[in-house]
Amino acid sequence: MLKKAKKISDKMVEIRRKIHKYPELGMEEFKTSDLVAKYLHKLDLEVTRGVANTGVIGLLKGSSKGPTIALRADMDALPIIEQNKHSYISQVKGKMHACGHDGHTAILLGAAKLLSDSKKNIKGNIKFIFQPAEEGPGGALPMIKAGVLKNPKVDMIFGLHIATSGESVGKISLLSGPITASSRIFKVKIIGSGGHGAHPHKSIDSILASAHIISSMQSIISRELNPLESAVVSIGTIHGGYRHNIIADEVEITGTIRAISDKTKVTIPTKLERIIDGVCKAFRCDYEIDFSRGLPSLINDEVAVKIVEKSAEEIIGADNILKMNNPSMGGEDFCYFSEVVPSCLFRLHAFNEKKQCIYPLHHPKFNFDEECMPFGAAILSNIAINAIKYLNEQSS
Amino acid sequence: MTLLARAKELQNEFVNIRRDLHKHPELGMEEKRTSKIVADYLKGLGLEVQTNVANTGVVGLLRGSQNGPTIGLRADMDALPIIEQNGAEYSSIYEGKMHACGHDGHTAILMGVAKLLSEVKNDLKGNVKFIFQPAEEGPGGALPMIKEGVLDNPKVDMMFGLHISTKQGKAGQIAFMHGTISGGTGFAKIKVKGYGGHGAHPHKSVDAIMASAHVLTALQTIISREIDPLEPVVITMGTIKGGYRYNVIADEVEMTGTIRTLNEQVRQSMPERFNRIIKGVCDGLRCDYELDYQQGIPSVVNNEKATKLVERVASKVLGKENVIEDKKASMGGEDFCYFSMEVPSCFFDLLALNEEKNCHYPGHHPKYNFDEDCIPYGMAVLSESVLEAINELKK
């Protein structure tokens, strides 16, 4: 399978680079879903478009009726200014594929090709799910609501995420149980009262107050939680003020909370608001705080994990299957799939120092070693075949 | 007739001049219409007029009946980029611009002084230079005019200037102060640079927003811990922006701010303090930084002799109870400071607060206005100060 995958490697690279050059944000993946649909049509799959706005589904019917396995890739980019200098950098100002979704899409199209070539041997169905807006506002849940897991009913679902955490191409990482943190988004407005920058006693400086809030909230992690409990509170953006010599009357900050255990997910917002309330009172400010529903934890199913292990072993050998030491604090909206169907999301490694593929996800210079793509396509294809075999054996 | 009585006779003329200027505000270095009105008026009085000094500045020279000391008087002409909200019938007709700091009044008053003094020029035993400068609010008009020789030919021996104020008192009063009366300024632009990454993996990135928070709080300790508590200092960071998205760790944050002090040595020491603190905090938190620190303008320092003269003159013209001695300086900037550095001078406040007439907003407020009844008092105090100064300096 790997050999076959390497034969289409160039095509996958070509597709990936095309998508990388024209990144589209969540729910705006028009060109990308066009490309995906066209390719799936060529492979003779049953294609459904416009699922959750820009989502695309390709259905491969095997040689006989049987279980249905789904494979999922995300298509959206991020509002980040690309700082790479290679030949296929983003041509769209302010947008970038900085999380490998271009690779996920190219890999899944590769898997579609490999599996449609083997469809005589497949005693079931394979659904290729290309979802929008993984980075936000979310594509998995809308697609589930639009019935993507039905007709035919999906029995198991798999996906991968490219990683540049330090391991090179030819390796994957795996873990049973919770593999991502649950998350919450928060937005805070700190409200002072404006005035001339030379007369601080006549106004209330919201920028200084927010500085104290930002540094105080670090103590939630460092001082209030059990050190063995993993949690993160990060501020992503801050904006406030009109001019260098005018005291800002309002500052807006947005951020994210991550926690592995549910208890922590519920209590951290309360701690955060308590701190903001106290610091604002101390600095004579008002505030507005808004928490929005985030993502639950992604929980890998044990059986699904075993299937991935076996399938990957057949391609890269047991030595190259690493165990994740810890869940990631990142969120993945694949978690909604994992809530309803036994699933497994695994890491596909693509770190490469020589090729400057050393930056973390969401970094403006993020890139991944494209040689990982045939491995991804081969492993996903093998997983689909093995999963169908397994489910057929179970039912007989 | 006293100069004050004559000024009151002429009040309407100069109120109308002020209102016309108010309706047509022009920003710094764009005061074309205003300076033409000034130049034409001064020429009409028979003064020797120079135009296009420092772009749009105007200088008028009134020679008296004999050679003698030269007294300089200064008014600023520029407006601000503020949207006027005070609903007066002479409100600005230029969108987005407004005379929100009384400079229209300063200009009208100085034109009035030119009129008063040309009426008595036979009694003038010296010269009077009327300096109408551009761009007080920025980028500065005093220094460029001085560089173009406005204090020479003839050499200016003493200078006076006033600023209309709605802070206290009422029309018919002035406030003055000895020594350092306005803030010396600085401007700082700070960039804090981290290393971007995913908001859920803080250990893989370096959070510039969190570091800037620490920079902001640490900078305040300059005031609370490093400088003599008897020295007034202000550090205001007025803007902050950084970051792309709620779940992406910001790799860069930019902040801009203003620094005010009354002590020139403290003002000069600020760049080193800023740099040391920002460097230390950034080093501690693994960030890089860029600091762009620009010194602004120094303080206005009033000359003792000139200030005592104004106090004396104003007490005679307005009555002692209408002359207020301020004990506290303003931290605001005033580019008259450059004149005060070259020539013994006194810069004082002409009071014009009036709640009933809705003239109670501070300078730079979109609803700012001042009680126009102050105009004849400003004209009289300045004119009498000129006459007294010429007498004094001749001795």
Side-chain angles (χ1 to χ4, degrees), chain B residues 225-289:
Chain B
R225 298 280 88 180
E226 283 192 32
I227 293 182
D228 186 339
L230 297 167
E231 281 296 349
V233 182
V234 184
I235 294 172
T236 289
M237 295 313 288
T239 71
I240 179 166
K241 64 174 199 258
Y244 308 100
R245 223 172 100 101
Y246 68 94
N247 66 343
V248 175
I249 300 229
D251 60 353
E252 196 171 286
V253 175
E254 190 185 276
M255 303 174 272
T256 69
T258 186
I259 294 89
R260 307 294 168 110
T261 77
L262 295 180
N263 178 312
E264 185 59 16
Q265 270 160 336
V266 170
R267 190 172 80 100
Q268 293 299 328
S269 75
M270 280 304 181
E272 181 276 327
R273 298 180 197 272
F274 262 63
N275 195 59
R276 170 180 30 87
I277 285 184
I278 297 168
K279 181 179 192 314
V281 171
C282 285
D283 280 350
L285 296 174
R286 300 170 299 158
C287 286
D288 277 317
Y289 72 96

Side-chain angles (χ1 to χ4, degrees), chain A residues 135 197 234 238 240 328-329 359 363, chain B residues 195-196 199-201 236 240 242 245:
Chain A
E135 300 285 352
S234 277
I238 180 166
S328 161
M329 296 308 278
Y359 298 96
H363 193 284
Chain B
Y195 185 92
H201 308 134
T236 289
I240 179 166
R245 223 172 100 101

Side-chain angles (χ1 to χ4, degrees), chain B residues 60-62 68-73 126-131 154-160 309 382 385-391 393:
Chain B
L61 182 63
L62 174 65
T70 301
I71 307 301
L73 297 175
N127 311 303
V128 188
K129 225 184 236 192
F130 297 85
I131 300 172
K155 179 167 166 301
V156 172
D157 299 302
M158 198 171 252
M159 261 188 92
F160 301 99
L309 186 153
L382 280 179
S385 298
V386 166
L387 297 174
E388 176 72 5
I390 289 179
N391 275 340
L393 289 168

